[in-house]
Amino acid sequence: MDCCGLLTLQKEPVPLKSIEVELEVRDHVATVVSTLNYENKEDKPLEAVFVFPLPGDAAVCHFSAQIGQTQIVAEVKEKQKAREEYDDALSSGQQAFLLEESDESPDIFSLRVGSLPPAESASIRLEYVTELAVQADDGLRFCLPGVLNPRYQPQGSEGAGVQVTSVPASLVPYSLSFSARVSSPRPVSKVESNCSLDPLQYLNTDQTQATVKLAAGHKFDRDVELLIYYKDAHQPTAVVEAGQASAEPGSLMGDPVVMVSLYPEFPQSVMSSKASCGEFVFLVDRSGSMDCATNNTEQQETRISSAKDTLLLLLKSLPMGCYFNIYSFGSSYEHIFPKSVEYGEKTMEEALKKVEQMEADLGGTEILEPSNILQPALHPTQPRQVENTKEVIDLVKKNSGSHRCFSFGIGEGASSALINGMAKEGGGHAQFITGTDRMQPKVMQSLRFALQPAVEDVSVTWDLPKGSTVTVLSPPITAIFQGKRSLIYAQLTGQAAEGCVMVKYSLAGHPSENQLHFSLRPAEDTGLIVHRLAARTLICLLEMEAENNEEKEEVKKKVVQLSVQSGVSSSFTAFIAVNKDNNKEIQGPLLHRDIPMAGLMGFAATHCCLTANISSFSPGEYKVCYLCKHSVSTSTITGVCLCLCVCEKE
């Protein structure tokens, strides 16, 4: 049968027709509203499943569906209860919608649109808020993930991963429109992107408000990255947001919340005298997936070549007299030297030659294999740096007392949850390198941070008028770098006009202090952005606590309660919406349709295979698919090896 319209590679119609994204940036905080438009052009009711990436630290705070004139706003419920309610609704012929965070990685979500009748349309509205990271050139980076790549899964969990349907970028069968509105107390100097934009339009004479749109014809060959620049950017600020009138006083949502942004400046005398040494351990991914292109443009640079370029620049920039070593991993791991060696002309040349010979030839992605790099540092007096989902982050956190972790995400679709999580818990800094144009300043910024002595004895104190109290919601500050933003969320009580927050620390034995005086008068027109970001921060803190807590169920109850009260997603909850106003029961079995995402495999990511000598396989043996990291069963037929992967195709 000849098919027409929007189709997958398997010639199945795709019910998702278009995605509209509206971005609103206020200073360094962004609100993102995505509208996904579905239409069932088949002759039977269907269930559409869309697995997609979001920023790992995003606070998903709204989910609703519009069917005709009926709007259904989803509720946040405990995840298993939400799943059961969704299944019950479909079983009884009702329409239902389920949005949930992946159990494996907090930057992957799945959206299920259930019981969409023939010839009917539905619009799904998804809203989240997120902080924008400051870049090496002082730009603020917003990334709309348009590419979904497999996430890290340790061996033994192959069957538990999220099922992802991917196609080449040129075959993504739906459209994307993207517009952004930027506002700040300071003028907007420019907005840049890795994608084609329409010209920036200023909305007022002092240029503190502007709009920009993605040019028509986006090809889904890359993430949409926006870099926003302000004049006189990044001054210390504090934003106080009033509590929600309907929320209970004394709760996080009922009380005012403050978001403090600090940019520490170290005394010049201390910075000029600091020792430029340390022990640097570089950890490089050489799994098969690193042989994929960094994007789907005509200039097909692979991830491994970008990783090598990054590593070569770092190696050539190390200070004489430090110690270093290079590990690379896949299914197994290798090292260049048996132990860290002193950096000099001879050892540098030897390392450069071996890096230039590196290929993506070490099989699967087992980042936990070379965990012995976290053994006690060879030179305890020099801070050790580890350069480069939950299990990895937890390992980094456990060793953060003796190591700092600086991470690099290479190419489009890198896991923001893994890259940011490793750096955050490892007291380091994260960078995302998606091209060669901005690689050098990013690499050099991380190296500059790594060469800075570790800050010790960090404490945060608050000076508020009598009768006012503060409850800090953020995790303790463990790392401070020159000019790098530190964010603190805190819940306030009482009436006062002004407050002060002070951060004290010791740098190379010299005590230092940064303080900020701020007004306690609530800001106008912020809605509940600060509250939701604070709730997400606290949720992430509790989720990490639940991973290694004997009273996991009690911590989980706290997370669920906070998630439900704040309306912010978590790993233990999900958004559920059921159309109970539809009196007409939907009859018949549901057709299942997976909505494809763009993949960076150079071919459809649903077509996964293992490249290996036929003699290395035994019939019925299980291997690991290089592309999706799931286990695959193998068989031999007339000398041909067939690898049947759970990502659907041979």
Side-chain angles (χ1 to χ4, degrees), residues 468-523:
S468 298
T469 63
V470 60
T471 302
V472 177
L473 306 171
S474 304
I477 297 176
T478 56
I480 297 177
F481 297 106
Q482 170 83 359
K484 182 190 173 184
R485 183 181 67 203
S486 294
L487 280 176
I488 305 172
Y489 292 96
Q491 182 178 339
L492 303 172
T493 62
Q495 300 292 327
E498 188 177 272
C500 178
V501 59
M502 291 168 286
V503 180
K504 297 180 180 180
Y505 48 88
S506 175
L507 178 66
H510 296 265
S512 298
E513 175 184 309
N514 293 108
Q515 61 177 281
L516 174 67
H517 292 268
F518 60 93
S519 170
L520 291 172
R521 181 178 300 173

Side-chain angles (χ1 to χ4, degrees), residues 17 365 368 465 585 605:
K17 304 305 178 185
T365 309
L368 289 174
E585 185 175 315

Side-chain angles (χ1 to χ4, degrees), residues 77-87 98 574 576:
K77 295 187 178 182
E78 192 275 327
K79 184 177 283 187
Q80 189 56 38
K81 289 182 180 178
R83 289 171 175 172
E84 292 172 359
E85 187 173 333
Y86 176 82
D87 292 339
L98 182 71
I576 174 68

Side-chain angles (χ1 to χ4, degrees), residues 387-399:
E387 312 271 11
N388 180 314
T389 287
K390 289 180 181 179
E391 193 174 353
V392 177
I393 294 171
D394 184 52
L395 179 64
V396 171
K397 182 179 181 180
K398 288 179 179 177
N399 290 273

Side-chain angles (χ1 to χ4, degrees), residues 278-297:
E279 182 184 359
F280 296 82
V281 181
F282 300 95
L283 180 61
V284 188
D285 185 352
R286 285 176 53 194
S287 61
S289 62
M290 291 294 285
D291 201 32
C292 302
T294 56
N295 57 47
N296 285 314
T297 60

Side-chain angles (χ1 to χ4, degrees), residues 528-602:
L528 292 170
I529 295 176
V530 176
H531 279 76
R532 286 165 176 160
L533 288 172
R536 179 62 181 167
T537 299
L538 186 54
I539 285 171
C540 291
L541 187 62
L542 291 171
E543 286 175 338
M544 184 66 72
E545 182 182 329
E547 288 292 314
N548 302 288
N549 197 312
E550 294 179 357
E551 299 179 354
K552 180 177 179 178
E553 288 304 314
E554 289 301 314
V555 179
K556 179 180 175 180
K557 287 180 182 178
K558 290 181 182 179
V559 173
V560 172
Q561 183 181 26
L562 177 58
S563 179
V564 171
Q565 288 178 351
S566 63
V568 171
S569 60
S570 76
S571 60
F572 301 131
T573 55
F575 283 90
I576 174 68
V578 177
N579 185 5
K580 298 179 180 178
D581 295 333
N582 188 7
N583 297 321
K584 185 178 179 181
E585 185 175 315
I586 299 171
Q587 301 288 339
L590 296 180
L591 299 176
H592 183 90
R593 294 291 178 256
D594 291 317
I595 310 298
M597 280 285 303
L600 286 175
M601 307 306 178

Side-chain angles (χ1 to χ4, degrees), residues 50-125:
F50 187 27
V51 179
F52 57 96
L54 287 179
D57 56 357
V60 179
C61 54
H62 177 86
F63 175 53
S64 61
Q66 183 84 29
I67 304 107
Q69 300 300 313
T70 304
Q71 184 184 38
I72 314 159
V73 178
E75 299 178 68
V76 179
K77 295 187 178 182
E78 192 275 327
K79 184 177 283 187
Q80 189 56 38
K81 289 182 180 178
R83 289 171 175 172
E84 292 172 359
E85 187 173 333
Y86 176 82
D87 292 339
D88 290 345
L90 298 195
S91 299
S92 60
Q94 292 179 303
Q95 289 177 312
F97 308 86
L98 182 71
L99 177 70
E100 61 179 298
E101 177 185 311
S102 162
D103 292 331
E104 284 76 37
S105 186
D107 60 350
I108 300 295
F109 281 75
S110 66
L111 168 61
R112 308 181 83 89
V113 178
S115 293
L116 189 61
E120 187 160 296
S121 300
S123 291
I124 308 299
R125 180 184 171 98

